Structure formats: C-alpha cells, structure tokens
Amino acid sequence: MASVSIQQVKKRFGMVEILHGVDIEIADGSFTVLVGPSGCGKSTLLRMIAGLEQISDGEVRIGARRVNELAPKQRDIAMVFQNYALYPHMTVRDNMAFSLMLAKLDPAAIEAKVGRAAAILGLNELLQRYPRQLSGGQRQRVAMGRAIVRDPQVFLYDEPLSNLDAKLRVAMRTELKELHQRLKTTSIYVTHDQIEAMTMGDQIVVMKDGRIEQKGSPLELYDTPANMFVAGFIGSPAMNFLPGTLRRRGGATEVELADGTRLPAPHDSLGADGQPVVFGTRPEHLALTAEGGIATEVAVVEPTGADTFVACRHAGRELAVVFRDRQSFAPGSTIRLQPDLRRAHLFDAGSGRRLAA
Ligand SMILES: Nc1ncnc2c1ncn2[C@@H]1O[C@H](COP(=O)(O)OP(=O)(O)OP(=O)(O)O)[C@@H](O)[C@H]1O
Ligand SMILES: [Mg+2]
C-alpha cells in the first residue's frame, strides 16, 4: 500500500488545457472519490495516475516515488474500468490468472493468489465458467478479482458500477466498501454518482471543468459546501436555492426573498446590506409551520412509505421537501415551511461562494 500525492497536475491535449493544476493528497489505505459532471476530467486524471496518459505538468507520487516517467506496469497499480473487458475465450480462473502468468509467476503462487481472490469475492463456484455465462455483477466481481490478484499498492476505479442495474449497483457498492475495509488498499474511485461518493469515500474531491471545487470528508461537504456548485451536487434530493437580498438592520441580519418573505440569515453569515444572495436549504431541513417561514403551493406529493417527498412552488421556483414521516397534502394547497437555520446556507449570488464566517 502507498499514499498518492498529486501536485499541480495539468493536462493538455494539443493546445487545449483540460486539467488546470490539481492538488490532491491521498493517505495510505484511504478511499478517495473523484466526482463531477461529465467531461470535467475525472477519467483523464485517473489515467494520468495509471500512466495511460502523459502528465503535461506537475507531479504524481506513489509512496515516495515520482512516477511521471514510469510505465504503467512499473507503477504497481491496478485499474478497474466501467466496461471491464474480460477475455471472452478464457474462464474466470484464467481471466484472473492471466496477468500473473504474463509476469511469469510460478503456478503454485498463481493458484494461491487466484484462490484467495476467489474466496474474497465469492467466485469459487464460478472459476470454470466463461464470461458469457455470468451475470453483470459476477463479471464485475471477476474484474475486481483481476485487480486483487496483483496485490497492487493502489486500486484505481473508473465508474466500475455504471453498467449495472440500480439494485446490483447498490449491492456491489456495499461489497466494494467491505472489500476496502478488509484489504485497506489505497483506492481512487471515479464516479458521477454523488450517492456512491457520499457512501464510499473517506475523502471526496468535487471537480468541475478541470478544477477542484472542494475536497473533504463526505459530511464536511454536506455540512459546509464551499459554493453553490458543491452544495447542489452533494446531497439528494438536491439543495433548494432561493434568490434574495441580504438586509442588515441594527443587529439583525435577514434575507429578503423575491416575493418579500423575510428569513433570518444563518447566524454566521457574512455579506453587506443590499447584497444579492442565495439562501440554500436542503429538502430534509424544512419543517411545517403554522406561521412565518416560506409560504409555498403544493404541486406533487410522493409518499415512498418511509418518507414523503413534496414538490412545492415558491415565487415561480420549485422547492423540494422531504418529510421523514407520512404527510398528505392536496395539490394546490398552501403550506408554510420553516428552514432549519442552523443548517441553512448563504451564498453570494454573483460568485456562488458560501458567505459564512
Ligand atoms: N485523447 C483526448 N484528446 C482530446 N481531448 C480529450 C481526450 N481525452 C479526453 N479529452 C477531453 O478531456 C475532457 C475531460 O475528459 P474525461 O474523459 O477526463 O472526462 P470525465 O470527467 O471522465 O467525464 P465522464 O463523466 O463523461 O466520463 C473532455 O472535454 C474530453 O473531451
Ligand atoms: Mg470518465
């Protein structure tokens, strides 16, 4: 196992710069998730760590070694891709053994490594099958097995679950997390699924347009997003954003929304009187109130059994609410919602940055 250090890494394809100087420190044995919208550069960064793309500028270290100039196979990493590309004409056993055979390991050692990986992944019964005889989840496990047998310093995953159906994804997510708890191999995992990021990562790195927007633990990102992009990206359903104006009168700081509603600003808010701001409140942090709060019109009520999801409208915008119990409202009726101010967020409307001390 090893730490990974990414320092001021840039990537250019011809004249076009795709990554603009990325810094990430990845602790030995940790699980780091790279998330961000399509095209932001996640795969490119992962491929640069793997040695499949040249590093245009900056440095990547694995453990104490600078690896910029090393070939992929000298880096002691194993990568699992979205389309795991098993060899169709080889059995599960041979798919897992193949890289070890190429490395000319002796047969007894290969047998032991494949046996161990098969046991960890529950593949013992399937070793003689061919990929076409496996389900999607089983194939994904074989792809994992190919990575595990190599006992690498670092696992790199590029959206390994995105070809699986929703139920299998959730099951494999748990398996992967368990696998990491067991093996403790430093892992870097790319996804654009924020739930995967939240549930699997020790550290989440949120990227956009080739830059890091924020990095931190899942709960740091959820509790104190640095800007509206991260606030809207992390958390599901997504945070509600209500545009307004900051009003400072005497000791009181309020946000005046578009329809004139006034809400106390979160206690540690920065910003000047009259400044255009955006008030952010998560769907799970709104409660019914008889008076005050935000008056909204109920559009759609969706009971899930455990929760009730309600889409409301306020000043021409949708406002999502999740109640952790059963509620029924008539569409078109008015309900008042009180945001939990200790968990509300204030952003500068221009830059999108968080306005908090
Ligand atoms: N070989 C290449 N030549 C030129 N441009 C490239 C090349 N590979 C990737 N790009 C560009 O680099 C940017 C980042 O691509 P990348 O594949 O890293 O995105 P991503 O974050 O992994 O997206 P996705 O979530 O869709 O997989 C994109 O604009 C892409 O078009
Ligand atoms: Mg990608």
Side-chain angles (χ1 to χ4, degrees):
M1 284 184 281
S3 59
V4 177
S5 170
I6 297 164
Q7 291 166 11
Q8 276 305 303
V9 161
K10 296 186 181 175
K11 179 64 185 176
R12 285 179 288 273
F13 288 112
M15 299 298 286
V16 186
E17 194 171 276
I18 297 297
L19 291 172
H20 310 290
V22 168
D23 293 296
I24 310 174
E25 292 301 324
I26 294 163
D28 188 5
S30 69
F31 200 111
T32 291
V33 180
L34 307 178
V35 272
S38 188
C40 71
K42 307 179 293 295
S43 295
T44 303
L45 182 57
L46 205 68
R47 291 168 58 79
M48 288 161 82
I49 300 167
L52 303 172
E53 290 289 354
Q54 279 230 305
I55 298 165
S56 308
D57 213 336
E59 188 171 77
V60 174
R61 289 178 165 271
I62 299 179
R65 280 196 307 173
R66 171 185 160 103
V67 299
N68 289 43
E69 289 78 25
L70 294 185
K73 64 177 176 206
Q74 296 173 302
R75 296 191 188 194
D76 202 4
I77 43 117
M79 190 151 167
V80 181
F81 297 93
Q82 171 179 353
N83 48 355
Y84 20 87
L86 302 177
Y87 304 112
H89 55 286
M90 288 185 197
T91 61
V92 166
R93 185 204 159 276
D94 290 348
N95 262 284
M96 292 205 279
F98 190 61
S99 69
L100 305 178
M101 278 151 57
L102 283 186
K104 301 215 178 354
L105 236 68
D106 74 84
I110 294 178
E111 217 46 55
K113 282 177 183 282
V114 170
R116 174 171 163 268
I120 289 173
L121 295 164
L123 290 170
N124 278 320
E125 313 293 303
L126 306 174
L127 287 174
Q128 297 313 318
R129 291 215 201 157
Y130 289 89
R132 65 172 184 278
Q133 300 168 311
L134 302 176
S135 73
Q138 290 166 338
R139 281 181 215 169
Q140 191 52 263
R141 242 175 272 156
V142 178
M144 287 297 310
R146 282 199 308 202
I148 291 175
V149 293
R150 297 178 44 202
D151 230 340
Q153 299 260 38
V154 182
F155 282 133
L156 303 178
Y157 299 98
D158 195 353
E159 310 220 27
L161 307 185
S162 57
N163 281 346
L164 305 178
D165 66 45
K167 203 169 161 193
L168 200 50
R169 265 184 99 121
V170 175
M172 286 298 295
R173 188 170 87 202
T174 310
E175 275 189 33
L176 268 176
K177 191 166 173 172
E178 217 179 321
L179 188 71
H180 179 254
Q181 286 167 3
R182 178 125 54 125
L183 300 178
K184 303 218 162 51
T185 307
T186 311
S187 300
I188 310 176
Y189 187 101
V190 164
T191 180
H192 49 246
D193 182 329
Q194 63 88 26
I195 305 241
E196 275 177 24
M198 286 296 285
T199 53
M200 300 180 84
D202 299 316
Q203 169 176 235
I204 300 181
V205 179
V206 181
M207 294 175 59
K208 183 185 161 209
D209 298 338
R211 287 199 172 80
I212 293 177
E213 293 282 314
Q214 192 173 2
K215 52 197 165 183
S217 73
L219 295 182
E220 273 164 14
L221 267 53
Y222 178 90
D223 289 337
T224 50
N227 53 49
M228 286 175 65
F229 179 78
V230 175
F233 200 83
I234 298 290
S236 173
M239 188 184 288
N240 297 297
F241 294 124
L242 303 167
T245 308
L246 197 66
R247 300 285 179 212
R248 288 192 184 277
R249 299 274 156 73
T253 307
E254 291 181 323
V255 178
E256 184 178 335
L257 302 182
D259 69 337
T261 301
R262 283 171 172 257
L263 297 169
H267 72 280
D268 55 352
S269 301
L270 304 174
D273 184 47
Q275 182 171 343
V277 293
V278 174
F279 186 90
T281 176
R282 296 194 184 275
E284 56 274 33
H285 297 155
L286 286 160
L288 283 174
T289 175
E291 277 173 49
I294 309 163
T296 66
E297 186 191 319
V298 173
V300 178
V301 181
E302 297 176 340
T304 67
D307 304 331
T308 311
F309 176 84
V310 185
C312 300
R313 284 208 187 87
H314 170 85
R317 292 176 164 257
E318 187 174 299
L319 190 72
V321 195
V322 176
F323 295 104
R324 297 295 181 211
D325 54 5
R326 296 187 181 183
Q327 297 280 356
S328 59
F329 306 107
S333 61
T334 298
I335 57 174
R336 305 189 79 90
L337 298 167
Q338 179 62 54
D340 179 345
L341 295 170
R342 287 164 309 151
R343 293 154 120 182
H345 308 267
L346 198 66
F347 303 100
D348 174 53
S351 66
R353 266 183 220 278
R354 176 189 192 79
L355 288 170

